[in-house]
């Protein structure tokens, strides 16, 4: 099996006592599961002792998460997180600081959210292939590591509301489909008639994208599905996958025969925002189709459409960034940081700083958008807290021409950029 960024969660043992994990406990568990885990633990334990709490309970508090981020600064000798001793040492200080940061221009649009259940379930050999089951198992493991005891079975509409809309500072969630019909008995992994329930329940706080358009399954069928999504379900954009499980194994956005008819139809139907999974070339799919090179021609040929590279094409984010660094006239190419931020911030802060630094320097601060890939990653609050505190250390600013993550830049990434392209209004 190919390299799997999530692989190390497989041995994670979810807590068996005391009910659900707090978002802080979820976040801390990823830091502790990474290569600095042992040293983070050693650094944080004295704070737990001082607070008079069990170590495990302490990691589930705001102070415990602050102490975890402070430990990363100490271990690396670099300022990756703007976090104070007071936040790490004092429960009240940690809470106060977090609450005061909620106020103001904190409009958060999570461009990348999912549910992952369907009424038919995923039954090996019946409605799911081996490849299809591999992906379900990966998401099961990730969910369990995030305190969802039944994995994908807990990634429901109900929990989407509880974890993302009620349980975090997220203002608006844009939810993404999973298609992959070849792997799930000829039916989308998450059928649109089931996922529309989210928008029906939270019409002011959710935006729905259509997906599962795979031109290798037949172009006319693909265009028919696009029409159905628009007319029947009023989608606000697309989130597609250029790798697939047809014999061709994938396609490109700049394919004039297979893809351009889709974009021409999008134009006619008023669909402007078109996302694609790029980077994170996971298990059952071909890595070559996760490269963003096809954005080059299509962005030039469809200047009135926005192309969004989900996952920021990491670890190929440099290729994506180059498509604007050398073509600064371009204004319709975006990156979204879901899973990429979560995976790097918790175990490779230097890489996280390079990814964000490169995207913001080359694509520009108006073209990078927040996303968490929740509820695959459980409650997104720990990611929000980590991004609020995350900073690019001075050494990298000097050496690479990155900018510091100012409050203005964070506000653009957190919500303003997505609000602009989806016409969302921030309420007070
Ligand atoms: Zn996703």
């Amino acid at each position: 099996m190919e390299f799997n960024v999530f692989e190390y969660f497989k041995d994670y043992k979810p807590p068996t006592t005391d009910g659900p994990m707090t978002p802080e406990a979820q976040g801390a568990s990823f830091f502790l599961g990474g290569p600095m885990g042992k040293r983070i633990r050693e650094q944080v334990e004295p704070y737990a002792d001082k607070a008079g709490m069990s170590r495990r309970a302490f990691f589930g508090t705001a102070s415990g998460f602050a102490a975890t981020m402070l430990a990363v600064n100490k271990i690396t000798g670099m300022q990756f997180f703007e976090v104070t001793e007071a936040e790490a040492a004092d429960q009240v200080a940690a809470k106060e600081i977090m609450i005061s940061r909620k106020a103001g221009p904190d409009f958060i649009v999570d461009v990348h959210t999912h549910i992952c259940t369907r009424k038919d379930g995923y039954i090996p050999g019946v409605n799911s292939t081996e490849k299809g089951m591999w992906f379900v198992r990966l998401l099961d493991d990730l969910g369990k590591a995030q305190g969802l005891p039944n994995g994908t079975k807990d990634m429901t509409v109900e929990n989407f509301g509880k974890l993302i809309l009620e349980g975090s500072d997220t203002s608006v969630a844009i939810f993404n489909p999973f298609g992959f019909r070849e792997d799930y008995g000829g039916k989308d992994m998450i059928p649109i008639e089931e996922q529309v329930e989210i928008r029906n329940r939270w019409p002011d706080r959710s935006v729905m994208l259509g997906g599962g358009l795979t031109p290798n399954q037949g172009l006319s069928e693909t265009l028919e599905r696009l029409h159905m999504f628009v007319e029947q379900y009023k989608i606000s954009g697309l989130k597609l996958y250029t790798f697939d499980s047809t014999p061709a194994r994938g396609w490109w956005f700049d394919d004039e025969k297979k893809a351009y008819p889709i974009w021409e139809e999008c134009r006619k139907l008023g669909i402007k925002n078109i996302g694609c999974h790029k980077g994170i070339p996971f298990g059952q799919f071909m890595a070559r189709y996760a490269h963003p090179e096809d954005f080059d021609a299509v962005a030039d040929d469809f200047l009135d459409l926005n192309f969004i590279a989900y996952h920021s094409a990491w670890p190929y984010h440099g290729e994506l960034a180059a498509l604007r660094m050398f073509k600064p006239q371009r204004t319709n190419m975006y990156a979204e940081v879901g899973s990429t931020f979560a995976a790097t911030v918790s175990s490779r802060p230097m890489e996280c700083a390079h990814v964000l630094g490169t995207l913001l320097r080359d694509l520009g601060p108006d073209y990078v958008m927040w996303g968490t890939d929740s509820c695959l990653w459980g409650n997104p609050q720990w990611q929000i807290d980590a991004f609020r505190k995350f900073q690019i250390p001075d050494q990298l600013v000097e050496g690479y021409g990155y900018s510091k993550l100012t409050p203005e830049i964070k506000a653009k990434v957190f919500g303003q950029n997505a609000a602009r392209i989806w016409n969302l209004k921030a309420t007070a």
Side-chain angles (χ1 to χ4, degrees):
M1 196 56 75
E2 296 88 332
F3 172 75
N4 168 10
V5 68
F6 304 120
E7 195 71 47
Y8 73 88
F9 304 135
K10 283 199 184 289
D11 296 326
Y12 182 85
K13 300 278 185 295
T16 51
T17 53
D18 299 335
M21 290 167 92
T22 65
E24 289 85 358
Q26 291 175 29
S29 74
F30 282 106
F31 282 77
L32 294 173
M36 286 181 285
K38 191 165 167 282
R39 295 168 71 196
I40 290 172
R41 197 177 290 281
E42 288 163 6
Q43 291 272 350
V44 173
E45 280 171 354
Y47 292 93
D49 297 345
K50 254 183 248 159
M53 296 178 77
S54 82
R55 288 155 182 189
R56 182 146 114 197
F58 185 69
F59 274 112
T61 66
S63 288
F65 195 42
T68 299
M69 292 188 272
L70 192 65
V72 172
N73 287 350
K74 288 182 184 162
I75 292 163
T76 59
M78 297 175 88
Q79 184 82 13
F80 285 109
F81 296 97
E82 289 170 339
V83 57
T84 62
E85 282 287 346
E87 287 173 273
D90 176 358
Q91 295 291 314
V92 177
K95 280 216 181 69
E96 269 175 10
I97 287 166
M98 289 173 78
I99 288 164
S100 74
R101 284 184 185 189
K102 271 191 191 178
D106 244 357
F107 183 63
I108 298 180
V109 181
D110 192 331
V111 175
H112 193 163
T113 61
H114 295 279
I115 56 170
C116 193
T117 50
R118 67 174 185 182
K119 294 194 176 81
D120 298 352
Y122 308 108
I123 308 162
V126 176
N127 64 17
S128 305
T129 63
E130 202 179 305
K131 276 182 179 179
M133 285 314 296
W134 184 92
F135 188 45
V136 171
R137 277 193 293 268
L138 182 149
L139 297 178
D140 272 336
D141 289 338
L142 187 59
K144 284 174 190 166
Q146 289 289 307
L148 300 174
N150 306 302
T152 52
K153 290 194 184 70
D154 289 333
M155 296 175 187
T156 57
V157 170
E158 197 66 35
N159 279 337
F160 186 97
K162 271 193 203 146
L163 297 169
I164 301 174
L165 297 177
E166 289 156 31
S168 83
D169 293 344
T170 304
S171 312
V172 173
I174 298 183
F175 61 97
N176 291 217
F178 283 137
F180 315 136
R181 283 180 296 157
E182 311 90 35
D183 290 321
Y184 298 99
K187 196 168 167 184
D188 286 342
M189 187 182 183
I190 303 158
I192 193 161
E193 62 269 23
E194 294 188 33
Q195 68 169 13
V196 74
E197 222 180 301
I198 292 176
R199 197 185 53 199
N200 293 345
R201 284 183 66 170
W202 298 281
D204 301 330
R205 297 191 57 201
S206 65
V207 170
M208 184 169 82
L209 305 182
L213 299 182
T214 304
N216 288 327
Q217 295 166 342
L219 188 58
S220 60
E221 187 190 336
T222 300
L223 295 175
E224 266 166 41
R225 273 162 65 82
L226 173 62
H227 269 265
M228 188 265 286
F229 291 156
V230 174
E231 283 151 19
Q232 215 172 315
Y233 291 99
K234 314 282 179 227
I235 55 165
S236 302
L238 293 172
K239 159 74 181 298
L240 304 176
Y241 291 77
T242 37
F243 33 52
D244 62 41
S245 292
T246 68
R249 305 181 90 168
W251 55 290
W252 296 107
F253 267 32
D254 64 356
D255 186 317
E256 294 185 12
K257 286 205 179 73
K258 288 181 183 173
Y260 277 23
I262 305 175
W263 318 139
E264 277 152 16
E265 212 55 33
C266 282
R267 254 182 187 160
K268 286 187 208 149
L269 294 166
I271 296 298
K272 285 182 75 81
N273 297 326
I274 298 167
C276 187
H277 176 112
K278 288 293 184 187
I280 309 191
F282 60 99
Q284 76 264 52
F285 293 122
M286 298 292 291
R288 62 188 298 238
Y289 294 107
H291 284 257
E293 64 203 55
D294 51 337
F295 273 31
D296 196 15
V298 77
D300 277 354
D301 291 345
F302 293 86
L303 291 169
D304 50 336
L305 304 181
N306 297 315
F307 295 94
I308 306 158
Y310 276 75
H311 307 296
S312 300
W314 173 70
Y316 318 126
H317 56 283
E319 293 175 24
L320 177 73
L323 296 180
R324 184 150 198 268
M325 175 166 65
F326 296 103
K327 306 192 181 198
Q329 74 279 10
R330 199 160 255 171
T331 57
N332 61 341
M333 222 178 60
Y334 290 79
E336 176 283 333
V337 301
S339 278
T340 295
F341 178 73
T344 57
V345 75
S346 54
S347 57
R348 302 174 180 179
M350 181 73 93
E351 186 164 354
C352 188
H354 277 302
V355 172
L356 292 175
T358 302
L359 295 170
L360 289 165
R361 183 193 61 195
D362 298 344
L363 285 181
D366 293 327
Y367 299 95
V368 181
M369 298 191 288
W370 178 247
T372 65
D373 230 342
S374 297
C375 49
L376 309 185
W377 290 80
N379 182 317
Q381 187 60 37
W382 72 268
Q383 298 189 47
I384 293 170
D385 289 334
F387 185 67
R388 282 183 173 140
K389 289 189 161 60
F390 195 74
Q391 189 48 275
I392 296 181
D394 290 337
Q395 297 92 322
L396 300 187
V397 170
E398 296 300 326
Y400 288 89
Y402 298 151
S403 55
K404 292 297 264 191
L405 301 179
T406 62
E408 292 73 30
I409 288 178
K410 285 187 179 178
K412 284 181 177 196
V413 172
F414 257 147
Q416 289 170 7
N417 293 336
R420 189 178 69 245
I421 67 171
W422 269 284
N423 284 322
L424 308 171
K425 281 198 194 76
T427 47

